[in-house]
Amino acid sequence: MGRTVRTVVTVMFIGVVVAVALAVLYLGSSTGLVFGGQTTLTGDATAKTPYYAQLGWLKNTSPWPLTIKSITVNATNASKPTTVYIEPRHVGSLSVTPGKTPVWATNAGAPPQDLVGGSLRYLAFGLTPTEGEVASFTSITVTFSGPLGFTFHKTFDGIQMAAASATLPDGILATDPRSDSSSLDGYIALLRGGLQSHNAKSLAVIMGGGATVADAQALLVAQKNYHTIDKVAVTPSTPGDVTGQRLVFYLTDPTKNALPPIKIQWSGFRWTVVRG
């Protein structure tokens, strides 16, 4: 009887030890991969060559190996899946001149990648916008595995990248106005140029948001008295929210000789005219 009890206790003890070891492996692996180097990069892309940029890194903080199986991004307005590059270190400029493929893009690795305990890998991306659009992403999702085949998915925010189609006018890319007070300046200049040109086709491109030539013509009619010397009054459409703005062009007095207001909204690294 005593031997039976000892056997049962021994088996239970071994079971507890195994369960604890598995829990340590599972929890240690699930929290072992960390992301850093959050930043924002913007640039232009040609029809054939994406916008390349190096940003962010992944580190295995656990004492055992982890395998990065895949990395995806929450890209919008991209004409094809975003290419992900993994490097032991960043080489060359963080961003690359449009139309040129960087050396590191031909030499860098891709998932799957093994990371021994304590090792770090740098990330880079190739983002291709749909023609006439601004492509962007604001997070990455990493699928990785640890010992005994445990598989995990982690989404990391704070990494931001945007690329404008080469068919869009210079200045259409705009960083987040909540962190960059100059974000709006370039777009106001584009709107001024579009109104002054009286070209509905080019103005529709500047308006964005799926605006048609008819929409642009309607805006030209509403702003028919616009002059290049007009001043502009800028106020948030909603108090405290700088991502939505109300523009009023006027000659001398915004309360007496102002043109109809134009509402614009920032989203996806560009400003667009709010219609209706």
Side-chain angles (χ1 to χ4, degrees):
M1 182 69 177
R3 181 179 299 176
T4 301
V5 172
R6 285 195 297 274
T7 301
V8 171
V9 171
T10 300
V11 170
M12 290 178 64
F13 176 76
I14 293 173
V16 170
V17 170
V18 171
V20 170
L22 288 174
V24 169
L25 282 172
Y26 185 89
L27 293 174
S29 297
S30 66
T31 60
L33 193 68
V34 297
F35 172 80
Q38 293 95 326
T39 187
T40 299
L41 286 174
T42 57
D44 299 314
T46 66
K48 295 182 179 179
T49 306
Y51 174 63
Y52 294 98
Q54 300 167 308
L55 63 164
W57 48 260
L58 293 170
K59 184 176 182 179
N60 177 10
T61 61
S62 67
W64 46 76
L66 296 176
T67 299
I68 299 175
K69 292 187 171 182
S70 67
I71 300 175
T72 58
V73 304
N74 64 336
T76 58
N77 296 326
S79 62
K80 60 183 180 181
T82 300
T83 306
V84 180
Y85 303 92
I86 300 178
E87 305 174 275
R89 65 183 185 279
H90 280 328
V91 178
S93 175
L94 292 183
S95 58
V96 178
T97 303
K100 294 184 178 181
T101 303
V103 174
W104 54 257
T106 59
N107 296 333
Q113 289 265 323
D114 293 326
L115 275 69
V116 299
S119 63
L120 181 146
R121 292 293 184 274
Y122 292 93
L123 302 179
F125 304 88
L127 180 63
T128 307
T130 300
E131 184 175 354
E133 300 287 349
V134 173
S136 65
F137 66 82
T138 57
S139 70
I140 64 171
T141 298
V142 184
T143 299
F144 63 101
S145 61
L148 304 180
F150 293 133
T151 299
F152 310 93
H153 308 275
K154 290 186 75 172
T155 296
F156 300 101
D157 299 315
I159 182 171
Q160 300 185 68
M161 180 173 171
S165 167
T167 59
L168 292 174
D170 292 339
I172 207 72
L173 271 172
T175 49
D176 192 331
R178 289 167 292 194
S179 57
D180 181 4
S181 60
S182 67
S183 171
L184 184 57
D185 298 341
Y187 190 67
I188 292 177
L190 284 175
L191 267 181
R192 284 182 175 277
L195 293 173
Q196 186 61 31
S197 71
H198 300 288
N199 185 319
K201 186 176 180 180
S202 62
L203 180 58
V205 174
I206 294 169
M207 291 173 65
T212 64
V213 171
D215 294 325
Q217 288 173 335
L219 183 60
L220 286 171
V221 170
Q223 304 289 318
K224 62 182 179 180
N225 292 323
Y226 172 81
H227 299 89
T228 55
I229 60 173
D230 281 354
K231 301 177 180 64
V232 61
V234 182
T235 54
S237 300
T238 302
D241 182 8
V242 295
T243 63
Q245 298 286 354
R246 181 176 180 270
L247 310 180
V248 175
F249 292 105
Y250 64 96
L251 189 57
T252 58
D253 189 334
T255 64
K256 295 181 179 179
N257 49 27
L259 299 178
I262 301 174
K263 290 185 178 181
I264 61 175
Q265 184 70 41
W266 182 90
S267 178
F269 291 88
R270 69 156 295 170
W271 293 90
T272 59
V273 172
V274 179
R275 307 189 305 281

